[in-house]
Amino acid sequence: MIKLFVGLGNPGPEYEDTRHNAGFWWIDGLARELKVSLQPERSYFGLAARASVDGQNVWLLKPQTYMNLSGKSVGALARFFKILPEEVLVVHDELDMLPGQAKLKRGGGHAGHNGLRDIHAQLGTPDYWRLRIGIGHPGDRAEVANWVLKKPAPDQRTLIEDSIAHSLRSWRLLQAGEMDKATLQIHTTKPPRPKPAKPVVEG
């Protein structure tokens, strides 16, 4: 089961609405669901909250170390509470997926994502869960750094928020460790409703 939900992003108002902070947006949504408030925790270098779900402690964490040192925060909390890598879910922005998409997976590489790279290093393994929130790609590798630190266009922001809302509906499955069911639910999006057929006019 998932005992630690982590959202990746950068602290400070100037980064609040940027694509790189999609993980923060997800954790804010979960905090509202659980009716908890994240508070500064110096020992864990982040904003954290603890909730009790069906008698189990669940942690929410937004590292305040800046993206490249996210593992410092995740590692500190996970080690203190003896949370195993497979009990950690990291929610992060994903360049290789379109806005509106969200996908769950366990393990794998960091694909150049500096937040994941540091978490790999601090946990000593890539074997934790990730929820990837699509933000799209600028189309030019040289533009990636600018892209992730910019605000998405309003239509893209809406799509990203929709994917966050959709994937948040699976938080109980994630917390309970029902990862197959959670994967199916997160990866399945409702197709658009067909338009009603035009009435046939008799000639």
Side-chain angles (χ1 to χ4, degrees):
M1 62 177 62
I2 299 299
K3 296 181 180 177
L4 171 57
F5 290 89
V6 181
L8 299 190
N10 285 307
E14 67 271 37
Y15 296 111
E16 203 170 311
D17 296 318
T18 62
R19 294 181 177 94
H20 228 11
N21 276 34
F24 276 11
W25 306 345
W26 197 94
I27 289 293
D28 289 339
L30 182 57
R32 287 192 291 273
E33 287 279 336
L34 293 172
K35 296 180 172 54
V36 293
S37 174
L38 288 101
Q39 302 294 335
E41 294 280 357
R42 289 178 63 188
S43 305
Y44 316 129
F45 312 100
L47 300 175
R50 183 168 60 183
S52 180
V53 180
D54 300 329
Q56 292 282 343
N57 279 334
V58 176
W59 281 94
L60 282 63
L61 178 65
K62 289 164 60 174
Q64 299 293 289
T65 50
Y66 289 97
M67 185 65 84
N68 295 5
L69 295 175
S70 298
K72 181 179 180 182
S73 174
V74 177
L77 194 150
R79 280 191 295 271
F80 188 83
F81 291 102
K82 298 182 170 58
I83 297 171
L84 301 172
E86 59 267 29
E87 297 170 332
V88 176
L89 175 74
V90 176
V91 187
H92 66 90
D93 57 303
E94 176 59 66
L95 284 159
D96 294 329
M97 285 164 38
L98 293 172
Q101 295 181 320
K103 289 191 177 173
L104 182 68
K105 75 169 191 173
R106 179 175 166 180
H110 52 67
H113 193 293
N114 290 330
L116 297 182
R117 191 197 307 266
D118 196 53
I119 292 169
H120 279 33
Q122 290 287 338
L123 295 183
T125 175
D127 201 26
Y128 52 90
W129 288 90
R130 305 95 186 273
L131 178 60
R132 302 149 70 207
I133 304 293
I135 61 165
H137 197 287
D140 180 351
R141 188 173 287 276
E143 287 297 316
V144 163
N146 278 334
W147 179 260
V148 297
L149 294 177
K150 277 186 179 162
K151 295 179 183 181
D155 58 330
Q156 291 182 359
R157 173 76 190 231
T158 298
L159 287 168
I160 294 167
E161 286 178 347
D162 286 349
S163 71
I164 288 172
H166 173 72
S167 54
L168 267 170
R169 294 188 192 108
S170 302
W171 76 264
R172 278 191 175 275
L173 293 173
L174 294 166
Q175 186 272 328
E178 296 190 48
M179 308 313 268
D180 288 343
K181 284 185 182 176
T183 300
L184 189 63
Q185 197 172 80
I186 290 167
H187 291 200
T188 305
T189 51
K190 287 183 181 174
R193 276 193 283 181
K195 292 177 181 172
K198 288 182 181 174
V200 176
V201 180
E202 295 288 333

